Amino acid sequence: MKTLLFATLLSGSLAAAEVPPLHATVGLSSQLFSARGYDLLDGDDIFLSFRLAGGTTFELRRFSIDVEGAFSTGGVDGIAHAQVNSGLTLLGFEVSGTARWKLLTWLEPYVRVGVGADWATLTLFNTTRLTQTVGNVAGHAGLGVQVSARLTKPEQRGVFLVADLGAGGVLRPAYDFDAMAPAPVVGPQADPIGGRNAVNVGALPLSGITIRANVGVRF
């Protein structure tokens, strides 16, 4: 009986030890869009997004490789041509790889590359509410540094509080908003046909510089 109990505890300990390192982070990403077309939405060219990510880590001798999936969302409002209220929301999913160099036990510079897909929704509020959602691919790259603090004892599985600060760029093809239109007609309308043609407002470049700040847990 004692032998069986010991074997059960040992197998549980080995299974726990084989669990790969995992991490989860939450933070903000600031994107700087300098193209003139973005002035339609915002005068200071800054777009803020909320970012939530999770993944796993592969340990090498001098490096750690993080593979993660991330979700981000953000929005901005403005006044186009001093008279038309406008808004842009951006929803994105990304898969990335990060190589961290083990400079110190608590300090790790890194390089990161990723690819994903984003959906941008542009809305113009004039006499009629015009809106369109356009999807596009996106490439991400950047450099940064992670600072970590261990939360558990040395003999226990490592749990670390991690702060992450990085900068880089995002590359996206221009978003073609060529079919801006009101929402579909619901119910009887006084004029169900007039004023509902699609409007082409042109392309909106959304490539730019990125700065991100995240905090999370690695365990």
Side-chain angles (χ1 to χ4, degrees):
M1 185 67 181
K2 291 183 178 179
T3 302
L4 179 60
L5 179 60
F6 176 77
T8 302
L9 293 176
L10 180 60
S11 62
S13 299
L14 291 175
E18 292 172 357
V19 175
L22 302 174
H23 66 267
T25 62
V26 61
L28 294 175
S29 174
S30 173
Q31 303 178 50
L32 177 64
F33 300 134
S34 57
R36 291 191 61 184
Y38 188 73
D39 293 338
L40 175 77
L41 302 161
D42 191 8
D44 62 9
D45 297 339
I46 296 176
F47 186 94
L48 291 177
S49 296
F50 168 81
R51 186 175 186 272
L52 179 64
T56 188
T57 300
F58 300 93
E59 298 288 351
L60 305 178
R61 183 174 180 181
R62 292 293 298 169
F63 291 87
S64 298
I65 305 297
D66 296 332
V67 178
E68 70 176 15
F71 162 81
S72 63
T73 182
V76 66
D77 297 313
I79 300 179
H81 308 302
Q83 58 182 352
V84 179
N85 291 328
S86 61
L88 176 72
T89 60
L90 196 60
L91 174 68
F93 296 93
E94 175 194 357
V95 177
S96 65
T98 300
R100 292 184 282 113
W101 178 36
K102 301 175 183 179
L103 181 62
L104 299 172
T105 56
W106 57 273
L107 181 66
E108 296 177 311
Y110 69 79
V111 58
R112 186 180 71 91
V113 294
V115 63
D118 296 325
W119 288 264
T121 300
L122 177 64
T123 304
L124 301 178
F125 301 90
N126 197 355
T127 54
T128 304
R129 181 180 183 273
L130 303 177
T131 187
Q132 184 182 0
T133 298
V134 178
N136 239 333
V137 296
H140 303 259
L143 302 172
V145 63
Q146 287 189 7
V147 178
S148 61
R150 190 181 181 101
L151 302 179
T152 56
K153 297 179 181 179
E155 65 273 13
Q156 297 176 324
R157 178 182 173 91
V159 177
F160 300 85
L161 179 65
V162 180
D164 176 348
L165 181 63
V170 56
L171 180 62
R172 302 181 178 98
Y175 288 75
D176 292 319
F177 291 100
D178 55 359
M180 300 283 292
V185 175
V186 178
Q189 303 289 317
D191 183 9
I193 299 178
R196 295 195 174 273
N197 293 327
V199 177
N200 186 347
V201 299
L204 180 62
L206 291 177
S207 297
I209 299 170
T210 61
I211 297 175
R212 68 175 199 161
N214 296 291
V215 63
V217 177
R218 184 181 303 127
F219 52 92

